[in-house]
Amino acid sequence: MTALKIKGVTKTFGSLIANDNISLTLQQGEVLALLGENGAGKTTLMNILFGHYVADQGDIEVFGNQLPPGATDAAIQAGVGMVHQHFTLADNLSVLENIILGTEPLTSWRSDTARARVKLNALAEEFGLAIEPDKLVGDISVGERQRVEIMKVLYRDAKILILDEPTAVLTPQEVDRLFDTLRSMVSRGLSIIFISHKLHEILNISDRVCVLRRGQMVGEIATRDADRDKLALMMVGHEVTRPLVEHLPPGPPVIELDNIVLAGSRGHKPLLDGVSLKIRECEIIGLAGVAGNGQSSLAELLSGLKTPSSGQLRLAGDVVKQYSPRGFIHAGVGRIPEDRHVHGVIGDMMVWENLISENLREKPLWNFSSLINFTACRAFASRLIEQFDVRCKTMEMPSKQLSGGNMQKLILARTLQNNPRFILANQPVRGLDEGAIAAVHERLLAAKRRGAGILLISEDLDELFALADRIVVIYHGHVSQPIAVSDITAQDIGIMMAGDLAHGEKFLQAGVS
Amino acid sequence: MLLDLLEIFLTAGFWAATIRIACPLILGTIGELICERAGVLNLGIEGIMTAGAMSGWMWVYLGGDLWTGLMFAAIIGATFGLLHSIFTVHLGLSQHVTGIGITMLASALSFFIFRMMLPESTTPPKITAFQPVNIPGLSDMPFLGEAIFSHTPMTYMIFAIVPLVIYVLYKTPVGLALRMAGENPMALEAQGMNVLSIRTGAVMVGSAFMAVGGAYLTMSAFDAFFFGMINGRGWICVALVIFASWRPGKALLGALLFAGLDAMQVRAQQFAGNFIPYQFFLMTPYVLSIAAMVVMARQARYPKALLSPFRKGERT
């Protein structure tokens, strides 16, 4: 039985064609994976299906009935439920309140919470989803929040479940648990659309894969006929050569953190709690952890934006006394910030202005220490644009018009041309397509060969295992001992990410510090 | 001197005055709280209270009945609320700027209409306002009778409204939707509800409360309308919402506390006015409420989506 039929959906945002005449069908009791790189149009398509957006063209049929465009209530009525990538929950409200929102008529004089609890308990039993209805959403973990989101959908008797990148915020163990839940849903006749760009998850859970590329449906394949390479080729459209990683003998430390504590705001736990870490020349240390465990605080500290409450930081052997971004740049720290739009570039300023911004006040960009030497700046900028292959129409265009990959190349160019001894790479490839990812990784590996020490912060374990020499795990502001990637598996890292940092100790090799 | 201060607390008149002063503040604060809980700051409150005070009074002056006068004031308030929400909710414009604009428009319009209708009058004309009711048994009690059971029906109505608002806000589906509109409007949208209409409704109801709060001044506390009557009470309500951490129960307490300080300073002037300038006493309720706010606001859990407009179908 056909649960869902999408016919010829087209959606444009300005000049961008997000969805170009896309059609697909979903059978009842099937897991359909929607695969594509960031920006391929997966989320847009699902937002149209769920009624967040109105399509320019095309129809959607659910169980044979046409859905009116742009009406989420009609989609819910028809049995469509969506678990959004960014959870639609309110921290200050209880789990129960979040779930029953919108399920009762607004004119009713009483919320029937007793009946809601009975139904919730029955659902929790049936699908093995443990939730605590009376806790505030702000007090529960990310994994639990996702269970609440799924429960919201089940509570409304959804027959078709859309999951938008559901594993992005989960540890590997939580992913397994989610997949168990999904399988039990399918066995009860529900249909699932699973959006992801992680190939092994798609191979694990789905029955059929539809691949989107730049807004177009480029292929469809039964999962049993697919393998990793085939899917990667369909998604990217061309072969991607992965950069070669070589392990080099590390040199002296470039940066040393000694028992660093960063206090939290009044009445909160410290953001960083006794972090000790040493990064040496010619090595990449990967920092793994579920989002929100102190990665941002550590990155801010290592950028010179925050001063620790106690503990010592040594850059190339010298104890840092003044924490300032400029001081850190001078001491040889290169930064690739987490959010390139907010902290990476000034979107309204031109490409060349952004390129020179870390080398302000240096000759020959400045004359008489106060006037910009435009000729020198342009020469400087055009050299970097060429060297780092930043694709822009002119160097006078505003930086915000660059694509994500080119914006990241701009930041890399600005940072790496100073030959930093230590590079802080915070989520350097988030949201980039495969080609750009390979380019960024190649630059980082080249910097490592040149002798730089790199801290790579990422939520993607595959990336860490591909690039890093050793991995540390951060949990609630605590950082584990570094473990060589060859000695540990992703499953063990997952256990540590869930809070058991001591789990990693048995993988430490004797004699390696 | 300290004894004089203590003596104030023992007079029934002080407690009666506190309740009287608190009433417009309670309604104003509850009204502002409803708007802000739905995610919309309503700085039009000062003007909406003025419009409510003028329109309710004018209704009665032109021959209307007191209770329908309150209804009329509420409708006028809701109309200004609708105007505010067209700009802030539907068009997504700055809530600060729009609110101040509403205050200026509503106050100026009230004064203008008042002058137009009564061009000749030099002394403010009077109406027959709500009168204190005598509750058999209770009103004759010593002390409590004078302090609590000698008020107008409107006063009792206001004190009854607070638990009603608490019930609606926390125990009904519409209250949950309203709170969600101020916390995460996307969650409403994802559950198939209309964020814009819920916010619009909240702002209109909140503004109606504000206007009735203003009308209390001309229809219960006094019996005339004059310029500068609201005298910053709206702004006090905005501060009281923060003081109350966006909770209606605490809002009632905050309004009573401020009113108590105000009632006390008037009485303190009488015995200490000789050696302390009276302006100092006028200042005290404001200074003390700032101090209380500094203490309370630290633990305030403000609505997460306050001040941020919601636009459906926008790419994030």
Side-chain angles (χ1 to χ4, degrees):
Chain A
M1 186 185 171
T2 309
L4 168 74
K5 209 177 262 178
I6 294 177
K7 291 185 288 194
V9 164
T10 298
K11 173 78 181 170
T12 54
F13 293 100
S15 61
L16 174 79
I17 304 171
N19 286 160
D20 188 359
N21 194 21
I22 292 181
S23 301
L24 62 80
T25 55
L26 173 70
Q27 302 301 323
Q28 193 178 359
E30 173 185 50
V31 180
L32 173 70
L34 209 50
L35 174 68
E37 296 192 287
N38 286 296
K42 309 177 296 265
T43 303
T44 303
L45 182 65
M46 290 304 112
N47 278 338
I48 291 168
L49 165 57
F50 194 58
H52 286 315
Y53 299 161
V54 178
D56 303 340
Q57 277 170 35
D59 292 319
I60 294 165
E61 272 180 20
V62 176
F63 296 111
N65 302 316
Q66 186 147 343
L67 274 189
T72 42
D73 48 349
I76 292 170
Q77 281 294 312
V80 181
M82 182 157 175
V83 175
H84 295 74
Q85 183 179 7
H86 303 287
F87 297 154
T88 57
L89 301 169
D91 288 357
N92 283 350
L93 303 186
S94 76
V95 168
L96 184 75
E97 287 177 318
N98 272 284
I99 292 173
I100 64 170
L101 173 77
T103 61
E104 296 172 296
L106 286 182
T107 48
S108 143
W109 268 102
R110 219 172 81 79
S111 278
D112 195 348
T113 49
R115 214 188 46 151
R117 274 171 212 277
V118 171
K119 184 166 177 182
L120 270 187
N121 283 337
L123 283 171
E125 189 104 339
E126 188 178 354
F127 294 102
L129 283 166
I131 57 163
E132 291 166 278
D134 294 314
K135 276 202 169 169
L136 285 187
V137 167
D139 294 337
I140 64 178
S141 74
V142 177
E144 287 172 90
R145 280 178 213 201
Q146 186 168 57
R147 288 201 284 282
V148 174
E149 279 279 348
I150 294 173
M151 193 57 108
K152 257 167 77 175
V153 173
L154 293 176
Y155 189 82
R156 308 210 65 172
D157 305 318
K159 306 277 185 301
I160 300 170
L161 223 81
I162 308 164
L163 295 137
D164 191 359
E165 305 257 356
T167 59
V169 291
L170 302 182
T171 65
Q173 281 75 16
E174 285 172 324
V175 171
D176 289 343
R177 196 166 163 188
L178 171 69
F179 283 4
D180 287 341
T181 309
L182 296 187
R183 286 194 188 97
S184 78
M185 289 175 186
V186 172
S187 69
R188 280 166 178 78
L190 273 69
S191 319
I192 293 173
I193 298 182
F194 183 90
I195 302 180
S196 182
H197 61 258
K198 293 185 181 167
L199 303 174
H200 62 269
E201 289 173 357
I202 284 180
L203 289 169
N204 184 343
I205 189 77
S206 72
D207 301 312
R208 197 157 55 94
V209 187
C210 284
V211 185
L212 288 182
R213 189 164 72 225
R214 293 196 189 145
Q216 289 178 323
M217 180 70 75
V218 293
E220 191 189 321
I221 187 169
T223 309
R224 61 175 180 278
D225 302 331
D227 60 31
R228 229 185 141 95
D229 293 338
K230 223 180 238 175
L231 288 180
L233 184 63
M234 286 171 84
M235 174 167 79
V236 183
H238 55 84
E239 298 277 351
V240 175
T241 43
R242 294 236 125 235
L244 203 68
V245 182
E246 45 190 326
H247 294 283
L248 303 166
V254 289
I255 192 163
E256 287 169 273
L257 283 75
D258 192 9
N259 209 11
I260 293 268
V261 176
L262 191 62
S265 52
R266 182 180 301 269
H268 286 80
K269 283 186 285 191
L271 300 166
L272 294 176
D273 200 353
V275 171
S276 297
L277 185 62
K278 194 191 284 177
I279 297 163
R280 296 168 297 182
E281 281 181 7
C282 295
E283 78 170 345
I284 298 181
I285 298 263
L287 182 78
V290 177
N293 271 295
Q295 291 95 324
S296 307
S297 305
L298 183 61
E300 281 176 316
L301 177 89
L302 295 178
S303 310
L305 290 166
K306 280 203 173 146
T307 306
S309 342
S310 71
Q312 226 179 33
L313 179 66
R314 281 190 294 281
L315 275 172
D318 300 327
V319 174
V320 176
K321 294 189 189 71
Q322 271 284 317
Y323 286 81
S324 79
R326 185 182 290 166
F328 271 53
I329 294 170
H330 274 287
V333 176
R335 295 119 5 117
I336 301 169
E338 180 174 10
D339 189 336
R340 51 185 164 271
H341 298 277
V342 178
H343 295 115
V345 300
I346 303 169
D348 287 319
M349 288 176 77
M350 297 179 219
V351 170
W352 71 267
E353 289 175 312
N354 274 292
L355 277 167
I356 64 161
S357 58
E358 245 172 51
N359 294 70
L360 288 173
R361 307 203 164 210
E362 279 174 25
K363 291 209 165 199
L365 302 182
W366 292 72
N367 288 335
F368 314 114
S369 78
S370 58
L371 290 173
I372 297 178
N373 181 342
F374 285 94
T375 330
C377 286
R378 273 157 217 269
F380 179 89
S382 65
R383 180 172 59 81
L384 288 181
I385 288 171
E386 169 142 6
Q387 202 179 330
F388 285 83
D389 189 29
V390 182
R391 298 201 188 139
C392 52
K393 285 189 206 100
T394 69
M395 67 170 90
E396 275 83 22
M397 71 188 258
S399 307
K400 66 179 174 195
Q401 290 176 8
L402 292 173
S403 72
N406 282 306
M407 197 183 281
Q408 199 68 314
K409 283 190 212 162
L410 184 158
I411 294 167
L412 279 169
R414 181 178 69 196
T415 306
L416 294 181
Q417 68 89 27
N418 288 324
N419 285 328
R421 272 178 290 195
F422 166 66
I423 299 168
L424 167 74
N426 194 354
Q427 314 278 3
V429 299
R430 181 190 272 177
L432 301 187
D433 60 48
E434 289 287 333
I437 290 174
V440 170
H441 283 172
E442 183 47 47
R443 291 287 175 191
L444 288 177
L445 290 168
K448 168 185 151 182
R449 281 195 293 276
R450 212 199 57 238
I454 299 173
L455 180 69
L456 174 65
I457 304 178
S458 176
E459 280 155 26
D460 184 355
L461 283 184
D462 293 344
E463 183 189 8
L464 293 179
F465 273 91
L467 242 62
D469 299 293
R470 294 187 295 159
I471 291 188
V472 293
V473 179
I474 190 165
Y475 178 77
H476 283 194
H478 297 274
V479 169
S480 74
Q481 297 271 358
I483 302 157
V485 285
S486 48
D487 298 341
I488 192 165
T489 65
Q491 288 300 314
D492 291 309
I493 294 285
I495 293 172
M496 294 169 72
M497 282 161 69
D500 186 8
L501 290 184
H503 180 77
E505 274 162 22
K506 59 182 165 224
F507 303 101
L508 288 175
Q509 280 179 338
V512 177
S513 62
Chain B
M1 162 135 179
L2 204 62
L3 274 176
D4 291 332
L5 263 179
L6 284 176
E7 220 173 83
I8 292 177
F9 289 110
L10 296 176
T11 57
F14 162 77
W15 294 101
T18 298
I19 288 173
R20 225 169 23 245
I21 298 168
C23 276
L25 297 177
I26 292 169
L27 277 186
T29 310
I30 293 286
E32 182 68 34
L33 186 142
I34 291 172
C35 297
E36 290 190 23
R37 262 302 174 86
V40 183
L41 177 73
N42 190 350
L43 291 183
I45 180 168
E46 179 81 6
I48 293 171
M49 285 179 84
T50 310
M54 206 293 286
S55 52
W57 178 88
M58 188 62 84
W59 180 272
V60 180
Y61 182 74
L62 295 178
D65 152 66
L66 281 166
W67 290 103
T68 49
L70 286 184
M71 299 272 285
F72 182 64
I75 291 167
I76 294 293
T79 309
F80 280 110
L82 179 64
L83 190 64
H84 185 63
S85 60
I86 287 171
F87 286 117
T88 56
V89 177
H90 296 265
L91 299 176
L93 302 178
S94 157
Q95 299 180 2
H96 292 101
V97 175
T98 309
I100 290 171
I102 297 279
T103 281
M104 287 158 74
L105 174 71
S107 323
L109 215 53
S110 305
F111 299 148
F112 176 70
I113 290 171
F114 182 75
R115 265 279 155 264
M116 287 285 287
M117 313 255 311
L118 303 161
E120 313 281 288
S121 67
T122 42
T123 51
K126 296 189 168 175
I127 58 167
T128 315
F130 282 104
Q131 296 303 313
V133 284
N134 187 32
I135 308 168
L138 294 176
S139 299
D140 305 326
M141 290 196 321
F143 192 78
L144 282 184
E146 193 192 339
I148 298 176
F149 299 108
S150 62
H151 290 283
T152 64
M154 192 179 174
T155 310
Y156 299 122
M157 179 193 82
I158 287 169
F159 277 86
I161 279 175
V162 178
L164 184 72
V165 168
I166 293 175
Y167 178 82
V168 170
L169 212 47
Y170 291 98
K171 297 284 177 200
T172 64
V174 74
L176 175 60
L178 190 152
R179 284 182 289 141
M180 190 58 102
E183 293 289 341
N184 186 354
M186 194 57 207
L188 279 178
E189 158 87 9
Q191 291 281 53
M193 302 170 89
N194 190 329
V195 179
L196 303 189
S197 40
I198 286 169
R199 282 188 164 177
T200 304
V203 174
M204 287 177 70
V205 171
S207 303
F209 275 127
M210 296 168 189
V212 175
Y216 181 89
L217 290 171
T218 51
M219 296 169 72
S220 181
F222 309 102
D223 50 9
F225 176 81
F226 43 90
F227 300 125
M229 178 150 216
I230 302 303
N231 194 19
R233 281 185 176 83
W235 309 134
I236 292 292
C237 293
V238 175
L240 281 173
V241 173
I242 302 169
F243 173 85
S245 305
W246 288 268
R247 289 179 180 279
K250 279 191 186 170
L252 174 67
L253 286 182
L256 283 171
L257 182 70
F258 182 86
L261 290 169
D262 205 17
M264 190 153 81
Q265 62 90 7
V266 175
R267 284 159 181 79
Q269 278 183 46
Q270 288 161 4
F271 64 81
N274 293 331
F275 45 95
I276 301 173
Y278 76 94
Q279 288 92 343
F280 182 82
F281 293 101
L282 287 178
M283 215 164 67
T284 38
Y286 298 92
V287 171
L288 287 174
S289 49
I290 288 174
M293 247 184 70
V294 169
V295 176
M296 298 292 285
R298 284 187 165 190
Q299 56 222 17
R301 269 190 141 155
Y302 64 94
K304 289 269 162 55
L306 184 60
L307 297 178
S308 52
F310 179 81
R311 296 187 185 93
K312 185 183 165 84
E314 186 169 85
R315 285 201 105 183
T316 46

